[in-house]
Amino acid sequence: KYLEVNPGADQVRLQIAYDMAQAGDPEGAMQFIKVGIDANPNNADLLEFYSSYGFQAAAKRDAAQAGTPEAVALYKQVIDALRKVKQIRGTAITAPSLRTLVVSLIAAGDYPGAESEAQSALAQFPTDGAIMAQMAEAQQRQGRIDDAIATMEKLKGVQADYPNLRLRQANWLLAA
């Protein structure tokens, strides 16, 4: 009842959403936060939590069966929310939010969009190995193996111990 009377009670809303997600219902948490976003559409904090729970929900659906329309729809909601956060926060957006944006674009099948967002993120966080690896993944999925290998070579210079770096390169070369 309290949240119906006071839809802007963000801390209460976030705590309840957190409890829902911890109980295994990230989609419910996402929808619970959506009510707060509807009341304040430019609240970057709520949008980030919304995208986080949306990503969890999409990944949960993907774990059961990859690429379902429901999972892709959730990833697209994450993408929309994080693009809005990026618009609101500008360069104050965090690297983890940008990583989630790029991974969501890949999961939704928008490889050119993922590469573009990764390039933009790398302008701000030039030594972020995860974003570099995600960009290489987007390039590889577009059939641009040489570009993907070159991006992974750059990653070697930034983070030589990046997990499975050489294995990914080898797999891409063998598959080409």
Side-chain angles (χ1 to χ4, degrees):
K1 242 352 187 176
Y2 173 77
L3 291 172
E4 289 175 18
V5 174
N6 188 0
D10 296 342
Q11 291 308 312
V12 173
R13 182 172 307 286
L14 289 172
Q15 184 58 54
I16 293 170
Y18 174 80
D19 291 343
M20 292 172 79
Q22 291 299 104
D25 187 11
E27 278 187 70
M30 188 181 168
Q31 295 313 314
F32 198 72
I33 288 178
K34 177 85 170 78
V35 176
I37 292 170
D38 290 343
N40 185 1
N42 292 319
N43 185 322
D45 291 333
L46 286 180
L47 288 162
E48 280 187 318
F49 279 100
Y50 177 82
S51 67
S52 175
Y53 295 133
F55 188 82
Q56 288 175 31
K60 186 176 177 181
R61 285 184 180 265
D62 261 351
Q65 182 181 353
T68 65
E70 295 84 4
V72 171
L74 286 166
Y75 284 122
K76 287 181 179 181
Q77 290 177 41
V78 170
I79 292 163
D80 291 344
L82 287 173
R83 283 187 168 153
K84 188 158 188 177
V85 170
K86 188 176 170 188
Q87 177 186 7
I88 293 166
R89 292 215 166 127
T91 58
I93 191 168
T94 64
S97 289
L98 293 172
R99 285 184 211 120
T100 300
L101 174 59
V102 175
V103 169
S104 296
L105 284 158
I106 290 170
D110 183 358
Y111 310 127
E115 182 179 7
S116 176
E117 289 290 354
Q119 287 172 340
S120 174
L122 287 170
Q124 187 172 344
F125 300 101
T127 60
D128 191 296
I131 293 173
M132 249 183 232
Q134 292 164 353
M135 184 165 86
E137 180 77 20
Q139 292 167 329
Q140 183 271 336
R141 298 231 183 154
Q142 293 175 76
R144 296 180 23 236
I145 304 302
D146 291 342
D147 291 339
I149 298 295
T151 299
M152 292 302 265
E153 286 298 318
K154 288 179 192 169
L155 176 55
K156 278 183 193 176
V158 171
Q159 189 179 345
D161 63 342
Y162 190 83
N164 301 317
L165 187 148
R166 288 172 180 76
L167 180 63
R168 280 186 183 182
Q169 284 182 306
N171 283 336
W172 293 343
L173 288 170
L174 289 172

